[in-house]
Amino acid sequence: MVFIRDTEQSLKAAVHLVNTLPGFDGEDTLQTVEDFETYLAMNPYTGTIRRDQAEVEAVRGIRARLRRLWDVDREGAVALVNEMLRDGQALPRLVSHDDYDWHIHATSDDAPLATRILVEAAMAFVDVIRSDEYDRVRVCSADDCDSVYIDYSRNGSKRYCDTGNCGNRMNVNAYRERKAQESA
Ligand SMILES: [Zn+2]
Ligand SMILES: [Zn+2]
């Protein structure tokens, strides 16, 4: 494991959220409360969750800010992460709840969910920066995909996102191109 479990979970949630943005696929997959329930089912949060349209709008509103983390290098990320921690009034504390062993919550449980998601993502990126693994923060290499991902592979060799079967699709494309050239 490249990062500790809590960090990976938070990074997965951040990746999921950023990938709901309309990209090359043109679809915004976080618009309704129902869409949001899908996100929450895969990325559970504790504390107050209102599950209303205002909350969905607030969470939609932090996506572009999180997306910027994929446009910068390690140095650039420091400023972004520090801003997120400051704006979210992060105050880390150790907590243990449900089946989760000791881990960090840096916001109060009744802070707006969008703030908690932003700060949780920022805390995970703190780990990425501290462990000097920022080159694992990547955008999919497929020509027709701009989904983001974090490379958790041991040797850091992952090139495609997990959302659209991009690795297979690009392999098939390459194969077809080779065949076309052979028969040309
Ligand atoms: Zn927790
Ligand atoms: Zn992709």
Side-chain angles (χ1 to χ4, degrees):
M1 219 175 212
V2 184
F3 305 109
I4 65 165
R5 198 194 56 168
D6 309 332
T7 299
E8 276 197 18
Q9 277 180 352
S10 304
L11 291 172
K12 279 179 180 146
V15 164
H16 186 166
L17 187 56
V18 166
N19 284 339
T20 64
L21 282 165
F24 286 156
D25 64 0
E27 261 185 77
D28 188 328
T29 54
L30 178 58
Q31 302 194 63
T32 63
V33 173
E34 203 173 36
D35 293 338
F36 192 43
E37 293 287 0
T38 306
Y39 171 80
L40 290 175
M42 292 175 72
N43 308 283
Y45 291 87
T46 53
T48 313
I49 304 177
R50 290 162 44 188
R51 298 172 194 276
D52 58 15
Q53 195 61 38
E55 188 169 67
V56 173
E57 293 307 323
V59 171
R60 284 165 54 85
I62 62 171
R63 295 182 298 176
R65 194 167 179 187
L66 289 173
R67 177 63 179 78
R68 286 180 64 201
L69 290 165
W70 273 266
D71 289 333
V72 293
D73 60 7
R74 186 180 183 225
E75 302 306 311
V78 169
L80 297 181
V81 168
N82 279 343
E83 274 169 22
M84 289 175 190
L85 294 174
R86 191 192 58 216
D87 292 352
Q89 295 178 303
L91 185 63
R93 66 185 192 283
L94 281 164
V95 294
S96 141
H97 58 80
D98 305 299
D99 288 333
Y100 294 102
D101 195 10
W102 294 111
H103 60 286
I104 295 174
H105 282 190
T107 46
S108 64
D109 291 347
D110 55 358
L113 184 56
T115 304
R116 285 185 278 137
I117 294 175
L118 188 73
V119 168
E120 189 180 288
M123 292 295 290
F125 273 86
V126 163
D127 278 0
V128 177
I129 293 166
R130 289 172 65 218
S131 50
D132 198 5
E133 297 285 359
Y134 212 85
D135 57 354
R136 293 177 178 276
V137 178
R138 298 186 193 165
V139 178
C140 184
S141 297
D143 320 332
D144 55 352
C145 178
D146 52 6
S147 290
V148 302
Y149 66 98
I150 307 280
D151 183 355
Y152 301 108
S153 70
R154 196 177 287 264
N155 57 0
S157 60
K158 188 171 159 63
R159 294 184 57 214
Y160 302 107
C161 74
D162 296 312
T163 56
N165 201 26
C166 288
N168 277 340
R169 196 176 64 254
M170 294 312 285
N171 283 338
V172 169
N173 284 356
Y175 174 79
R176 287 205 182 116
E177 263 163 39
R178 267 200 313 276
K179 282 281 166 201
Q181 271 163 13
E182 278 168 26
S183 59

